[in-house]
Amino acid sequence: MSDEAVVTMTGVAKRFGGVVALAGVDFSVRAGEVHALLGENGAGKSTLINVLSGVITDYEGTVAVDGSPVRFAGPAAAQAAGIATIHQELDLVPGLSVAENLVLGREPRTRLRTVDRRAMLRTAREQLGRLGADLDPRRLLGSLRVGEQQLVEIAKALLLDARVLIMDEPTAALADAEVRRLFATIAGLRREGVGVVYISHRMEEIEQIADRATVLRNGSVAGTVRPGETDRGRIISLMVGRSAESLFDVAAAPDGPADREPLLEVDALSVRPKTVRPGRSEPTGVTLTVGAGEIVGLAGLMGAGRTELLETLFGAGSPGRRSGTVRLGGQPYAPRNPRAALRSGVGFVPEDRRRSALVLAHPTGRSIALAALGSLSTLGVVRRGRERAAVRGKMAELAIKAASAAAPVGSLSGGNQQKVIFARQLLVRPRLLLLDEPTRGVDIGAKAEIYRLLHRLAADGMGILLASSELPELLGVCDRVVVLRRGAVAADLTAADSTAEDILAAAMGVAVAGKDSR
Amino acid sequence: MTDTRTPPGEEVAPAAGTVGLRGTAARWVHRPRSRRELLDRLFAVQSLFALVVVFVVAIAVSPRRGGEILFLDGGNLGNIVRAVSEIGIIAVGMTFVILLGGIDLSVGAILGLSAVGTATLMVDSGYGILPAVVVVLAIGLLFGALQGYATARLGIQSFIVTLAGLQVARGLARIWSGGLGIPIAYGDGPKEAPPAFEFLNGSINGVVPVPAVLFIAIGVAAIVVLRTTAFARHVYAIGGNEKAAKLSGVPVTRVKVAVFAIAGLLAAVAGIIHAGQLNQGSPNDGAGYELDAIAAVVIGGTSLAGGSGSMGGTLAGALLLGILNNILALNNIDANVQLLIKGLVIVAAAALQKLRNTVA
Amino acid sequence: MTDTRTPPGEEVAPAAGTVGLRGTAARWVHRPRSRRELLDRLFAVQSLFALVVVFVVAIAVSPRRGGEILFLDGGNLGNIVRAVSEIGIIAVGMTFVILLGGIDLSVGAILGLSAVGTATLMVDSGYGILPAVVVVLAIGLLFGALQGYATARLGIQSFIVTLAGLQVARGLARIWSGGLGIPIAYGDGPKEAPPAFEFLNGSINGVVPVPAVLFIAIGVAAIVVLRTTAFARHVYAIGGNEKAAKLSGVPVTRVKVAVFAIAGLLAAVAGIIHAGQLNQGSPNDGAGYELDAIAAVVIGGTSLAGGSGSMGGTLAGALLLGILNNILALNNIDANVQLLIKGLVIVAAAALQKLRNTVA
Amino acid sequence: ATSACSVEKQSDGAGSGSAASSENCGSGKDFLIGMSQANNAEPYRQVMNNDIETAAKAVPGFTVEVADAAQDNSKQVADVENFLTQKINLLIISPNEAKPLTAVVKKAYDQGIPVIVLDRKVEGDAYTAFIGGDNVAIGRAAGEFYAKTLLPDGGKVIEIAGLPGATPAAERAQGFREGIKSNPKIEIIASQPADWLRDKGQTVADALLKAHPDVNAIYAHNDPMAEGAYLAAKSAGLETKIKFTGIDALPVPSGGIKAVQEGRLAATFQYATGGREAVDLAKKILVDCSKDVPRSTTLDTMQVTAENAAEAYTKLGGV
Ligand SMILES: Nc1ncnc2c1ncn2[C@@H]1O[C@H](COP(=O)(O)OP(=O)(O)OP(=O)(O)O)[C@@H](O)[C@H]1O
Ligand SMILES: Nc1ncnc2c1ncn2[C@@H]1O[C@H](COP(=O)(O)OP(=O)(O)OP(=O)(O)O)[C@@H](O)[C@H]1O
Ligand SMILES: [Mg+2]
Ligand SMILES: [Mg+2]
């Protein structure tokens, strides 16, 4: 690692309308270092790297590469200067193959100026191999799981042979094994002298790989620290601007009565889809129960079928024949569509909020009220007063930060967007809440708020089924954890006396002695 | 903890400092709250603004007769609204369809079919006004609903469904009428329509033409529907993100069918007015009206991508086109030059629209 | 480490166990590799399949005269391809536009403008064939490029830009021609076009009409371009995810301008052929051709949403429409009933298309 | 002899008759006649089709198939080619435009198929017979009617023209101007196209009447546009002050004769479809094996006013 900064940003400022996203930020990346960017949702991390990667061109301040000031006209210019970026939102072309996506914009040519497919495939295999990604480069990108797409995105950035590699939450959709492989790759890059900018909300990761960490708060630098040598609490208090203790007074799951009234009873649920979609693990003989006031976790490796199970329970799964029985509050429950599920008192927070849950341009208030319009209107006419009161209530209850209820959802930070989806589901007063990766991309403070919220909801008697890839989350928040493997239940564990290893073992199909493993 | 990202002087939902925010209700007031929102509001009436500009220009370039500005003549203004009333009514239905993220190319043909139906039923089949109108409206509704069903259920893009629907409706109209216009004569005899039907040709107080009144009434009703109903929210939601709408429990298929049914119904209304205005039901009428209606919607600021736009804009857009047509004709502009001018005005309006989106 | 997801018995690119695959060049064979891909391949030729079905049906229902199947008559098949050649050439350009996620409503009007241009330049201005053709092609290219620029830079939806472009091109054609068709007489005198231009009316070996040959040649060239060039990848990428394309350094504006320029250019080619075939440049010709071309593209399996589709499908789609028109005419189906049938066939083709997407 | 049925023979030089082979004629045989129509969507042409079909029904052995080119020159070429593939015995064609259809008509003619061209000529002489009206003459007749009868003391006239680019529109405009020359006090103060359409006629007239409320008469290139103008005047309260004339005089309920009968139009001028005449000619060629058919028949126009409207309606075959 040299002290010579490859990229230096000084006094970078950017506002979106009235919102100040960056207020004079200094930031630099040296060759061979991993420089982490930390901060709450909306602190300005993505905005900063968007400036650096040429996506945002109208900013104040200067960006210098090797000491000489530059102003990129667009992403291509930044790439030409050796700055490669893995953006937060997956930006790939579903209709092209993996290989075509990898070389998009830089296709190898034959002498006839046509695309050299051999070279393209060779490069693709090489790159994916570096990440240990076992993917056929000719597959259509759209047929890949989200995690696999994330790997392609990473491989694509690596392909640029950049001097600076920016990663904006690259691990949000990755499971443990992939994360480890990614870290190995990052270590290799660093040895080659590549400067890495790394954004993540997972503190463990930062501590593991970052040399330096710059903490942003409300668009300004709150401090720069050495993560390995700095107390985690201090970093967090830099991020949130107050002491960290207040954040983590989340009591462990409040112990409810041992024999809760069963709310959701799933018995041998299987789905035989009408058309088999590759990469989907449909529920096969799933049996589990969620009691009223109970939080049950769903664990599993990437593609274990958690999402599919939740979708099926919400009436949004693959069309097809289903067998087995599901009872909700003692009544048979087989929703034909999400509408029916909502009517029966089941809410669902999907895993991909931008694609499945939000219209970014629509006002926050309307987004919150959408699912509950039925109860907010009389004879089809929305009662504004009632709606306003309901929205206001939920925004306050969940502490949603927005300029106003009329502000477009897209202008909120990721964590607040997630809370908007929560609010929408809570407005319909569900008995059972299905959550799919509800804290993905959510900052540490907001996460804590979400956990508190879940506990409160459970205490009020709601049943919660929570799918997550973060084991600490499952163990910390849930009463029980059901582990899925290839669509079937591999284990049903009590959170209090299980460890991350237990879950992993079950998820990977290794029997664990003494546990309720199937 | 204060949120420094919020511009000063604004009410904000108090940020959560500690657990348990219940009770600290933030007020959600309905006033413009920042420069940005103010701009938004200003631009929201952008199509109205364009309308005013065109109106003023029209006054300026209007031919005069003895000091009187012909364009401003009461009768002329009435004529303008009467002339756009059919396109306008169609455009109201089209607005719903476009907000939904679809498009309806069949409305012009449905208009022709409905005009033929009205004339045939009253003249040849001896129906009274009410039965004839009801049957024709039902046909339009059904035709639209069928198209909506095909889009929603078979998942075929509405462009294609309605392109096919256009041909089918036109074919049906020609077959029904035998290829020729069915003239409507009024009287009590056989082969005569009830004289009351002629009211579509009249005007209220001799000033405001009846079709204009109907157009305005339908437009205002649509504004109210779009502003107040849950149905409208569903339309916006589907147009914005269909998957999200579905997962939020919006009955997507039903809403889609309803929207296309409304478009078909309003095209039928326009067809009945058309027959009444022209005293004839001609199977070839209404050709190309769909494009005029789409132009009105887009000039009115509704995005073809779906999910954003307003009904007031559509009304303004339709009137703008009507004024444009009128002033070009009043000044006896060459028909070909008219084509060029209209093309450029459409692009200019869309560009203005775009500008708004970039600023907001 | 083996890939358990791959069905047995298939060649798999050796999975990367360790870093550094360099050298282990995986062979890229052109065989289907899994049931899924097999299905894909099968459905990829879906429009070809539909074409074959329609062809067989046409033979079955073809009128016969003295045992001879009229449909299969050499001249008739030539006629079919000749008749679709203009729509087909336009549809090739339209395929690029639709793959890009846009639409081009102006091509029919550009065809009219180009036909007028060809006739006027050769007959009135005394241009030779080459200069006339070059100027007309340049006009088409420029017109398209301008529209592309407006879409790409002003960010106006192509539907609107080209709807306006349609009117402008039509207006220009009428003004240029003085409103009347310009007949093309051949000879060396003044006001006569070079006789060589008549070759567009001829046929090769007296069997294959020249326009048909041009259509096929352009179609094949387009297939090659779409399969092999980086430009084509960029078109697919922009249509599939414009933001991703932009972030990958794809020159989005340039590609968009190029695509609309190609569409304009090909419309001009069609216009020249049109003038040659009809010995006249008429300003009103080509009206509605854009819708036929869009239908051909969609029947050919290209999604109006952009990002997926094929050129071969478009060619098959155009031929399918041609055969349909031909067999309906050969059987003297009533023109109005033809409208109904064509509408239903378009929907059926789109539904088949949809089926494919659901399965794949 | 003001009837449209009166045939004016003009044996012009090329009168050597048709190249049609005579082996294929004679009574008691079946004949397939292809009728290639430019555009069914125009009422005038729809009536032409109807006239042909009605007349053909009366001839034993005749089958007529109508193809609609929907105003597309290319489609009409294809329609004729398809007829040739079907090996029709005779072709009747009402071309969308002259030049584009010339080649394919010649092709048919050269194959020995008798060709009767209706309404609009093709170029050259590769056809058997032409039957049509004379739009310039009709326009002239209308102009003379204005000069002598309608506005003998002169006055202001608005012209509502057909589709820009359509030959009949140009000819009806030209003829009209020739016709009113005799009365210099008649002035055309405005001219706007309404594309042959009734609704467009109404909208255009709305504005024109605003600009020129003192107009005395409106000359429309066809009856639907005249009716549209009438409606516009009616809503402006001017319908009694202004005279309206149209052209076409179709003997159908929605046609101009009825409008004259009912007092909306002052006059209309018949533009004969020639449908019945064409079938007569076809009968002569195919059934009677006649080699000597008139090369060119120009159909007279008939002036239809309130006096003769009822009579004209029945005479022209209206029901
Ligand atoms: N296009 C935009 N329009 C308006 N406001 C924006 C836009 N992009 C970002 N913002 C605002 O700028 C601020 C910084 O956002 P940014 O995306 O940089 O946050 P972040 O630190 O990356 O958050 P996260 O951890 O949620 O990804 C936020 O307040 C956000 O609402
Ligand atoms: N090939 C595919 N075709 C269709 N949908 C897919 C495909 N792969 C993944 N999905 C869907 O994408 C979403 C995200 O999948 P992802 O790769 O994140 O799996 P996951 O959430 O880690 O695994 P799990 O199935 O355990 O939830 C899920 O809804 C999944 O069903
Ligand atoms: Mg971010
Ligand atoms: Mg999942």
Side-chain angles (χ1 to χ4, degrees):
Chain A
M1 195 202 302
S2 77
D3 274 356
E4 212 42 43
V6 185
V7 169
T8 320
M9 303 174 79
T10 6
V12 172
K14 167 74 192 166
R15 24 190 324 147
F16 293 101
V19 180
V20 178
L22 295 175
V25 171
D26 297 340
F27 184 75
S28 68
V29 190
R30 298 178 196 134
E33 79 162 343
V34 175
H35 191 161
L37 253 184
L38 298 177
E40 293 186 280
N41 289 127
K45 304 181 294 292
S46 298
T47 308
L48 185 69
I49 62 113
N50 280 341
V51 169
L52 185 52
S53 61
V55 174
I56 292 176
T57 49
D58 52 335
Y59 56 90
E60 290 155 44
T62 55
V63 177
V65 176
D66 292 329
S68 39
V70 289
R71 205 168 180 100
F72 301 129
Q79 286 168 13
I83 299 171
T85 312
I86 299 163
H87 288 279
Q88 184 169 14
E89 307 298 333
L90 286 174
D91 275 315
L92 296 163
V93 184
L96 294 182
S97 71
V98 170
E100 285 169 334
N101 264 288
L102 283 175
V103 300
L104 184 62
R106 275 173 303 279
E107 294 80 2
R109 311 286 181 103
T110 61
R111 257 169 302 160
L112 295 169
R113 306 296 301 150
T114 60
V115 174
D116 186 344
R117 297 206 193 203
R118 281 164 179 284
M120 183 171 86
L121 285 166
R122 192 173 347 104
T123 323
R125 291 221 167 83
E126 246 171 62
Q127 263 332 299
L128 292 168
R130 258 171 97 180
L131 287 169
D134 173 22
L135 284 175
D136 183 338
R138 283 161 304 165
R139 277 179 70 187
L140 277 191
L141 188 106
S143 74
L144 302 185
R145 325 196 109 248
V146 176
E148 290 171 330
Q149 295 191 10
Q150 181 83 63
L151 289 175
V152 173
E153 180 96 48
I154 293 169
K156 184 175 166 189
L158 291 180
L159 201 58
L160 285 171
D161 282 329
R163 303 170 59 208
V164 173
L165 180 60
I166 303 169
M167 301 182 166
D168 195 351
E169 304 197 30
T171 53
L174 294 189
D176 250 35
E178 282 84 12
V179 172
R180 249 170 260 157
R181 208 128 44 186
L182 175 65
F183 284 2
T185 311
I186 291 178
L189 290 171
R190 187 202 211 154
R191 276 193 300 276
E192 292 165 24
V194 176
V196 175
V197 180
Y198 190 89
I199 301 177
S200 174
H201 288 293
R202 299 186 187 170
M203 290 303 292
E204 324 82 68
E205 296 181 355
I206 305 291
E207 283 163 6
Q208 208 178 328
I209 61 162
D211 300 304
R212 282 200 290 170
T214 292
V215 182
L216 288 184
R217 187 167 75 237
N218 294 330
S220 314
V221 176
T224 299
V225 296
R226 299 199 161 271
E229 302 153 18
T230 317
D231 172 47
R232 196 188 276 195
R234 191 176 124 61
I235 298 181
I236 292 171
S237 57
L238 274 179
M239 281 166 60
V240 300
R242 64 198 144 99
S243 86
E245 283 74 49
S246 62
L247 268 178
F248 289 96
D249 57 357
V250 187
D255 285 324
D259 47 302
R260 279 182 257 250
E261 223 174 289
L263 177 64
L264 175 76
E265 299 158 279
V266 181
D267 187 20
L269 175 68
S270 294
V271 173
R272 279 248 307 282
K274 208 155 53 183
T275 50
V276 181
R277 280 201 276 162
R280 272 184 81 92
S281 312
E282 302 294 347
T284 36
V286 172
T287 299
L288 59 82
T289 56
V290 179
E294 191 180 22
I295 304 179
V296 176
L298 268 185
L301 299 181
M302 201 169 97
R306 293 162 296 178
T307 299
E308 290 82 346
L309 175 60
L310 295 181
E311 283 174 356
T312 305
L313 291 175
F314 192 60
S318 311
R321 276 240 325 275
R322 58 206 54 205
S323 57
T325 57
V326 181
R327 300 175 83 80
L328 183 69
Q331 301 296 314
Y333 170 72
R336 282 199 346 266
N337 52 38
R339 194 172 171 73
L342 282 162
R343 281 230 191 91
S344 316
V346 176
F348 175 54
V349 173
E351 109 191 286
D352 180 347
R353 59 176 174 257
R354 294 214 164 200
R355 248 192 304 169
S356 321
L358 291 175
V359 185
L360 297 179
H362 285 184
T364 304
R366 287 198 171 192
S367 306
I368 292 175
L370 182 61
L373 282 179
S375 63
L376 294 175
S377 47
T378 323
L379 294 174
V381 174
V382 180
R383 304 285 292 270
R384 292 276 181 120
R386 246 196 267 170
E387 181 193 17
R388 210 174 302 160
V391 165
R392 198 192 290 155
K394 280 294 170 245
M395 286 182 73
E397 185 182 338
L398 303 190
I400 295 174
K401 275 190 260 172
S404 78
V409 177
S411 71
L412 308 196
S413 76
N416 281 305
Q417 290 180 12
Q418 191 71 45
K419 288 197 222 162
V420 166
I421 303 167
F422 262 101
R424 177 194 293 167
Q425 296 303 326
L426 296 183
L427 257 192
V428 301
R429 305 182 174 285
R431 288 188 281 173
L432 173 69
L433 193 54
L434 309 172
L435 305 174
D436 198 358
E437 309 280 1
T439 59
R440 179 176 283 177
V442 168
D443 72 41
I444 206 161
K447 249 184 213 170
E449 276 170 29
I450 288 176
Y451 298 155
R452 270 193 293 271
L453 172 71
L454 293 182
H455 283 142
R456 214 168 60 226
L457 294 172
D460 288 352
M462 194 184 286
I464 294 170
L465 189 54
L466 164 72
S468 173
S469 299
E470 287 186 58
L471 300 184
E473 177 169 295
L474 288 173
L475 291 168
V477 179
C478 302
D479 300 305
R480 284 187 298 122
V481 177
V482 173
V483 185
L484 292 186
R485 189 173 130 73
R486 298 207 186 128
V489 174
D492 194 335
L493 310 166
T494 312
D497 31 80
S498 302
T499 61
E501 280 66 37
D502 296 336
I503 294 180
L504 268 177
M508 297 194 294
V510 186
V512 182
K515 299 275 179 187
D516 172 22
S517 169
R518 307 175 199 196
Chain B
M1 176 182 152
T2 50
D3 189 345
T4 54
R5 275 173 312 171
T6 316
E10 296 189 26
E11 264 180 322
V12 181
T18 48
V19 191
L21 256 181
R22 225 185 283 259
T24 52
R27 269 184 304 152
W28 178 32
V29 282
H30 246 299
R31 292 181 240 141
R33 324 191 83 247
S34 66
R35 233 162 307 146
R36 170 135 186 275
E37 276 188 46
L38 212 77
L39 250 176
D40 261 12
R41 296 262 161 122
L42 211 81
F43 271 109
V45 293
Q46 165 255 123
S47 44
L48 209 62
F49 178 71
L51 179 63
V52 171
V53 169
V54 171
F55 194 85
V56 170
V57 170
I59 293 175
V61 303
S62 161
R64 279 141 216 268
R65 179 151 300 212
E68 189 203 359
I69 298 171
L70 291 182
F71 173 75
L72 283 183
D73 184 77
N76 188 53
L77 294 181
N79 282 344
I80 291 176
V81 187
R82 215 213 45 234
V84 296
S85 61
E86 292 166 25
I87 297 282
I89 290 172
I90 289 180
V92 167
M94 188 71 81
T95 307
F96 282 101
V97 175
I98 292 181
L99 281 177
L100 192 77
I103 197 120
D104 191 343
L105 301 179
S106 70
V107 283
I110 294 181
L111 181 147
L113 177 62
S114 307
V116 165
T118 312
T120 317
L121 290 177
M122 290 198 309
V123 175
D124 290 348
S125 314
Y127 278 45
I129 294 182
L130 198 68
V133 166
V134 167
V135 170
V136 168
L137 293 183
I139 292 174
L141 189 88
L142 204 74
F143 200 97
L146 263 175
Q147 294 187 130
Y149 190 80
T151 334
R153 265 305 155 87
L154 307 184
I156 312 171
Q157 276 156 320
S158 53
F159 190 101
I160 291 302
V161 171
T162 58
L163 178 58
L166 183 170
Q167 313 209 28
V168 172
R170 192 63 77 195
L172 289 176
R174 293 219 188 132
I175 292 171
W176 198 358
S177 66
L180 285 171
I182 316 283
I184 303 178
Y186 298 101
D188 293 330
K191 301 264 167 198
E192 284 180 332
F197 193 68
E198 235 183 329
F199 86 102
L200 282 175
N201 243 329
S203 49
I204 288 169
N205 292 332
V207 184
V208 194
V210 172
V213 174
L214 286 174
F215 164 44
I216 300 297
I218 289 174
V220 170
I223 291 181
V224 172
V225 166
L226 214 49
R227 288 233 174 135
T228 62
T229 64
F231 169 72
R233 298 290 179 86
H234 291 167
V235 172
Y236 277 102
I238 295 173
N241 184 341
E242 183 167 338
K243 193 169 171 205
K246 195 169 234 157
L247 288 180
S248 301
V250 172
V252 175
T253 305
R254 218 188 301 159
V255 171
K256 280 191 176 174
V257 171
V259 162
F260 280 89
I262 289 174
L265 178 75
L266 289 178
V269 170
I272 293 170
I273 295 176
H274 190 82
Q277 285 207 67
L278 297 178
N279 294 331
Q280 171 176 306
S282 169
N284 301 310
D285 280 2
Y289 279 29
E290 58 278 0
L291 294 181
D292 284 346
I294 293 169
V297 174
V298 171
I299 290 177
T302 296
S303 156
L304 278 177
S308 93
S310 77
M311 192 59 75
T314 296
L315 303 190
L319 289 173
L320 190 153
L321 285 180
I323 293 176
L324 193 64
N325 279 330
N326 180 265
I327 196 68
L328 291 172
L330 273 189
N331 281 301
N332 215 9
I333 304 291
D334 178 71
N336 300 328
V337 179
Q338 285 195 23
L339 275 181
L340 300 189
I341 294 179
K342 276 187 237 166
L344 297 178
V345 167
I346 292 176
V347 169
L352 188 66
Q353 184 50 32
K354 194 64 206 171
L355 186 73
R356 172 202 168 182
N357 289 340
T358 324
V359 175
Chain C
M1 180 171 156
T2 49
D3 189 346
T4 52
R5 277 170 309 171
T6 317
E10 298 186 26
E11 255 183 329
V12 181
T18 49
V19 189
L21 256 183
R22 224 183 285 262
T24 52
R27 270 181 306 151
W28 180 39
V29 280
H30 245 303
R31 294 185 239 140
R33 322 190 86 246
S34 68
R35 232 163 307 145
R36 170 133 187 277
E37 275 186 48
L38 209 79
L39 250 176
D40 262 12
R41 297 261 162 122
L42 209 81
F43 272 108
V45 291
Q46 165 253 124
S47 45
L48 208 63
F49 179 72
L51 179 63
V52 171
V53 169
V54 171
F55 194 85
V56 171
V57 170
I59 293 175
V61 302
S62 161
R64 281 138 216 266
R65 187 152 282 219
E68 189 201 358
I69 299 173
L70 294 183
F71 173 74
L72 284 183
D73 184 73
N76 189 52
L77 295 180
N79 284 344
I80 291 176
V81 187
R82 218 218 42 237
V84 295
S85 60
E86 292 168 23
I87 298 282
I89 290 172
I90 289 181
V92 168
M94 189 69 82
T95 307
F96 282 101
V97 175
I98 292 181
L99 281 177
L100 192 75
I103 197 121
D104 191 343
L105 300 179
S106 71
V107 282
I110 294 181
L111 181 146
L113 177 63
S114 307
V116 165
T118 312
T120 316
L121 290 177
M122 290 196 311
V123 175
D124 289 348
S125 314
Y127 278 46
I129 294 182
L130 199 67
V133 165
V134 167
V135 169
V136 168
L137 293 183
I139 291 174
L141 189 88
L142 203 73
F143 200 97
L146 263 176
Q147 295 188 129
Y149 189 81
T151 336
R153 263 306 155 88
L154 307 183
I156 312 173
Q157 277 155 320
S158 53
F159 190 101
I160 292 302
V161 171
T162 58
L163 177 59
L166 183 169
Q167 313 210 27
V168 172
R170 192 63 77 194
L172 290 177
R174 292 214 187 133
I175 292 171
W176 196 0
S177 65
L180 288 172
I182 315 283
I184 303 177
Y186 297 101
D188 292 329
K191 301 265 166 195
E192 284 182 333
F197 192 68
E198 235 183 329
F199 86 101
L200 283 175
N201 244 329
S203 49
I204 288 168
N205 292 331
V207 183
V208 194
V210 172
V213 175
L214 287 174
F215 164 44
I216 300 297
I218 289 174
V220 170
I223 290 180
V224 172
V225 167
L226 215 49
R227 289 232 174 138
T228 61
T229 64
F231 169 71
R233 300 298 145 86
H234 295 168
V235 171
Y236 277 102
I238 294 172
N241 184 346
E242 182 168 340
K243 194 175 160 212
K246 198 168 238 156
L247 290 176
S248 302
V250 171
V252 175
T253 304
R254 217 188 305 157
V255 171
K256 280 190 176 176
V257 171
V259 163
F260 280 89
I262 289 174
L265 179 75
L266 289 178
V269 170
I272 293 170
I273 294 175
H274 191 80
Q277 286 206 65
L278 297 179
N279 294 328
Q280 170 176 307
S282 170
N284 295 319
D285 278 4
Y289 280 28
E290 58 279 0
L291 294 181
D292 284 345
I294 293 170
V297 174
V298 171
I299 290 177
T302 296
S303 157
L304 278 178
S308 92
S310 77
M311 194 58 77
T314 295
L315 303 191
L319 288 173
L320 190 153
L321 284 180
I323 293 176
L324 190 66
N325 279 330
N326 181 265
I327 197 67
L328 290 173
L330 280 190
N331 281 297
N332 293 312
I333 305 292
D334 178 68
N336 300 329
V337 179
Q338 284 195 26
L339 278 179
L340 301 189
I341 294 178
K342 275 187 236 163
L344 297 179
V345 167
I346 291 177
V347 168
L352 188 66
Q353 184 50 31
K354 193 64 206 169
L355 187 72
R356 171 202 170 183
N357 288 340
T358 323
V359 175
Chain D
T2 52
S3 159
C5 303
S6 78
V7 172
E8 193 179 300
K9 290 204 177 182
Q10 295 185 340
S11 277
D12 55 5
S16 60
S18 72
S21 42
S22 52
E23 318 87 71
N24 292 335
C25 66
S27 57
K29 290 186 180 167
D30 283 341
F31 297 105
L32 178 60
I33 297 174
M35 164 64 200
S36 170
Q37 182 54 273
N39 184 15
N40 282 357
E42 289 169 40
Y44 160 76
R45 295 176 184 280
Q46 182 69 49
V47 171
M48 183 194 289
N49 293 349
N50 296 352
D51 285 349
I52 289 175
E53 284 175 329
T54 314
K57 274 209 192 84
V59 183
F62 271 19
T63 312
V64 176
E65 298 293 357
V66 179
D68 173 20
Q71 220 176 350
D72 181 345
N73 290 323
S74 298
K75 172 136 191 337
Q76 194 161 22
V77 171
D79 284 343
V80 174
E81 274 168 347
N82 289 333
F83 280 145
L84 297 185
T85 305
Q86 292 179 57
K87 306 195 170 30
I88 50 166
N89 303 100
L90 183 139
L91 173 69
I92 304 176
I93 180 169
S94 174
N96 189 45
E97 285 184 90
K99 185 76 187 181
L101 274 307
T102 300
V104 78
V105 164
K106 182 170 189 304
K107 186 167 158 194
Y109 185 74
D110 289 349
Q111 286 182 16
I113 297 172
V115 180
I116 300 172
V117 181
L118 274 184
D119 168 41
R120 195 170 296 169
K121 272 200 180 100
V122 292
E123 294 187 349
D125 53 10
Y127 56 86
T128 313
F130 166 76
I131 303 173
D134 180 343
N135 275 310
V136 179
I138 291 172
R140 201 181 299 122
E144 282 160 6
F145 176 73
Y146 271 67
K148 303 208 174 81
T149 317
L150 198 63
L151 302 173
D153 304 325
K156 293 178 176 170
V157 177
I158 287 177
E159 179 185 47
I160 298 186
L163 186 72
T167 324
E171 291 174 349
R172 288 173 189 185
Q174 181 203 336
F176 184 72
R177 283 163 179 74
E178 290 170 12
I180 57 174
K181 264 206 191 105
S182 61
N183 186 342
K185 281 180 292 188
I186 292 182
E187 182 198 358
I188 300 174
I189 51 173
S191 173
Q192 282 276 320
D195 305 357
W196 307 121
L197 299 173
R198 188 170 173 137
D199 51 349
K200 208 137 184 245
Q202 185 187 20
T203 331
V204 167
D206 272 341
L208 288 173
L209 288 176
K210 275 297 154 225
H212 312 282
D214 53 343
V215 68
N216 302 101
I218 293 185
Y219 167 63
H221 285 187
N222 74 355
D223 293 330
M225 293 191 294
E227 292 243 45
Y230 174 83
L231 289 169
K234 195 169 169 204
S235 73
L238 295 170
E239 80 271 24
T240 50
K241 296 201 190 96
I242 304 174
K243 306 266 196 301
F244 304 86
T245 68
I247 292 176
D248 278 354
L250 295 178
V252 293
S254 55
I257 302 182
K258 283 281 180 209
V260 172
Q261 241 176 318
E262 287 154 15
R264 295 190 295 276
L265 304 190
T268 180
F269 298 83
Q270 184 211 4
Y271 185 64
T273 68
R276 268 164 296 144
E277 292 80 355
V279 173
D280 284 348
L281 214 56
K283 182 161 172 276
K284 273 191 198 139
I285 296 169
L286 293 176
V287 181
D288 306 340
C289 291
S290 162
K291 294 262 166 79
D292 182 29
V293 293
R295 176 82 179 144
S296 175
T297 308
T298 302
L299 300 174
D300 268 355
T301 180
M302 181 187 350
Q303 177 177 311
V304 180
T305 56
E307 290 90 68
N308 67 344
E311 176 201 347
Y313 193 77
T314 33
K315 189 169 176 188
L316 296 182
V319 281

